[in-house]
């Protein structure tokens, strides 16, 4: 199997941006700007925007995504949202383990694993984020860090469930900084992650796995990144908030 047979997925991570009214407007504009496309598109929006965005993208084939979920299906977890709640809101994809959650909200590889197992159990697709910090890249331990994050996060995930897992390689130093990994750096680490998945499962699971790059991907650099043999899509923050730029990235993935 080669890259052409893997699903190209472009996901917008809106982070904590857009009120429901603003979100509906942006989603409608993306729906029309990206009407012609040949890749999957996911909009991962704030929880309170799910209903408005779900309505705006109805019948467009664009997938509705969330940015986190808890591992329990219900209970005394003030402020949290369960996977089942997301499913009932029409969500198909959830981002887990984003570096901002690890950095600001105490997320660990172990809690990412618990959330991931629960999300898969509930039927969701997961976009699992991994990536090294700048100091770790400088120490030459990028591969080890990413391998460890992938192995712990995927603990207990079955071969069948891997069909609903996407991995996003997001070097922390490239997120929201305007500093993009070079296409060669992105491809190298995405390839290393594919190798780890092959060791954990087998080559067919690894070859079928969609691996995205994320970190300052924009309308100008998307094509070169997406053309790399191991880069099957993008997880886009800043540029996903601008309809026209996001549509250009979708077009780049559709070639
Ligand atoms: P960025 O964010 O595109 O703004 O760097 C990517 C992400 O955090 O997923």
């Amino acid at each position: 199997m080669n890259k052409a047979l893997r699903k190209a997925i472009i996901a917008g991570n809106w982070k904590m941006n857009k009120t429901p009214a603003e979100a509906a407007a942006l989603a409608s504009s993306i729906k029309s700007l990206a009407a012609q496309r040949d890749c999957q598109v996911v909009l991962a929006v704030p929880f309170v925007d799910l209903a408005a965005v779900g309505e705006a993208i109805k019948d467009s084939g664009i997938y509705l995504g969330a940015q986190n979920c808890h591992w329990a299906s219900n209970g005394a977890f003030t402020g949290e949202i369960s996977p089942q709640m997301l499913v009932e809101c029409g969500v198909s994809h959830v981002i887990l383990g984003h570096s901002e959650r690890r950095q600001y909200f105490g997320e660990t590889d172990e809690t990412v694993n618990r959330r991931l197992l629960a999300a898969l159990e509930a039927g969701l697709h997961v976009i699992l984020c991994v990536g090294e910090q700048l100091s770790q890249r400088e120490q030459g331990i990028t591969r080890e860090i990413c391998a460890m994050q992938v192995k712990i996060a995927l603990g207990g995930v079955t071969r069948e469930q891997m069909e609903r897992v996407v991995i996003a390689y997001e070097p922390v130093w490239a997120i929201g900084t305007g500093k993009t990994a070079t296409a060669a750096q992105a491809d190298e680490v995405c390839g290393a992650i594919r190798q780890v998945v092959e060791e954990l499962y087998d080559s067919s699971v690894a070859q079928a796995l969609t691996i995205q790059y994320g970190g300052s991907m924009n309308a100008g650099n998307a094509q070169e990144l997406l053309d790399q043999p191991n880069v099957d899509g993008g997880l886009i923050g800043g540029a996903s908030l601008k309809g026209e730029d996001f549509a250009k990235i979708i077009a780049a993935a559709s070639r």
Side-chain angles (χ1 to χ4, degrees), residues 94-110:
V94 64
I95 297 174
L96 293 175
H98 190 278
S99 66
E100 287 152 15
R101 302 241 25 115
R102 296 177 192 256
Q103 188 179 345
Y104 304 126
F105 303 103
E107 195 78 69
T108 64
D109 290 323
E110 287 72 23

Side-chain angles (χ1 to χ4, degrees), residues 36-99:
Q36 305 294 321
R37 60 178 188 273
D38 189 18
C39 67
Q40 293 190 2
V41 175
V42 180
L43 301 182
V45 306
F47 293 129
V48 295
D49 294 344
L50 288 171
V53 172
E55 184 61 29
I57 60 177
K58 212 158 85 191
D59 301 326
S60 67
I62 295 176
Y63 294 95
L64 186 61
Q67 302 169 12
N68 190 25
C69 70
H70 196 260
W71 52 82
S73 50
N74 60 275
F77 299 104
T78 302
E80 292 290 321
I81 302 279
S82 78
Q84 289 75 12
M85 292 170 180
L86 294 180
V87 169
E88 201 173 313
C89 291
V91 169
S92 56
H93 290 66
V94 64
I95 297 174
L96 293 175
H98 190 278
S99 66

Side-chain angles (χ1 to χ4, degrees), residues 2-225:
N2 63 30
K3 175 175 164 125
L5 298 172
R6 289 195 282 270
K7 279 177 291 186
I9 305 179
I10 297 296
N13 174 10
W14 289 8
K15 308 192 179 185
M16 197 176 72
N17 292 292
K18 305 292 174 190
T19 65
E22 293 166 347
L26 177 59
S28 308
S29 113
I30 291 170
K31 177 179 165 178
S32 44
L33 288 166
Q36 305 294 321
R37 60 178 188 273
D38 189 18
C39 67
Q40 293 190 2
V41 175
V42 180
L43 301 182
V45 306
F47 293 129
V48 295
D49 294 344
L50 288 171
V53 172
E55 184 61 29
I57 60 177
K58 212 158 85 191
D59 301 326
S60 67
I62 295 176
Y63 294 95
L64 186 61
Q67 302 169 12
N68 190 25
C69 70
H70 196 260
W71 52 82
S73 50
N74 60 275
F77 299 104
T78 302
E80 292 290 321
I81 302 279
S82 78
Q84 289 75 12
M85 292 170 180
L86 294 180
V87 169
E88 201 173 313
C89 291
V91 169
S92 56
H93 290 66
V94 64
I95 297 174
L96 293 175
H98 190 278
S99 66
E100 287 152 15
R101 302 241 25 115
R102 296 177 192 256
Q103 188 179 345
Y104 304 126
F105 303 103
E107 195 78 69
T108 64
D109 290 323
E110 287 72 23
T111 55
V112 173
N113 173 245
R114 293 181 75 181
R115 293 179 203 275
L116 187 138
L117 290 171
L120 290 173
E121 189 64 36
L124 291 164
H125 292 247
V126 170
I127 298 177
L128 163 66
C129 301
V130 300
E132 82 288 2
Q133 292 164 15
L134 183 58
S135 59
Q136 295 168 330
R137 173 163 285 269
E138 287 168 352
Q139 283 173 292
I141 55 172
T142 295
R143 279 171 178 253
E144 287 90 338
I145 292 290
C146 294
M148 187 183 70
Q149 291 177 345
V150 166
K151 286 182 184 176
I152 298 174
L154 294 182
V157 175
T158 66
R159 261 185 79 91
E160 290 67 38
Q161 287 176 324
M162 281 302 289
E163 290 170 18
R164 284 186 285 118
V165 173
V166 170
I167 296 180
Y169 165 54
E170 298 207 307
V172 178
W173 48 271
I175 295 178
T177 58
K179 266 191 230 161
T180 319
T182 64
Q185 286 171 329
D187 190 58
E188 185 199 343
V189 184
C190 290
I193 290 170
R194 200 177 301 288
Q195 187 64 43
V196 170
V197 171
E198 179 166 342
E199 285 161 24
L200 289 175
Y201 296 90
D202 58 30
S203 135
S204 71
V205 171
Q207 289 303 314
L209 176 71
T210 295
I211 303 182
Q212 301 172 315
Y213 167 78
S216 299
M217 187 185 274
N218 59 42
N221 61 26
Q223 190 74 63
E224 193 190 357
L225 288 159

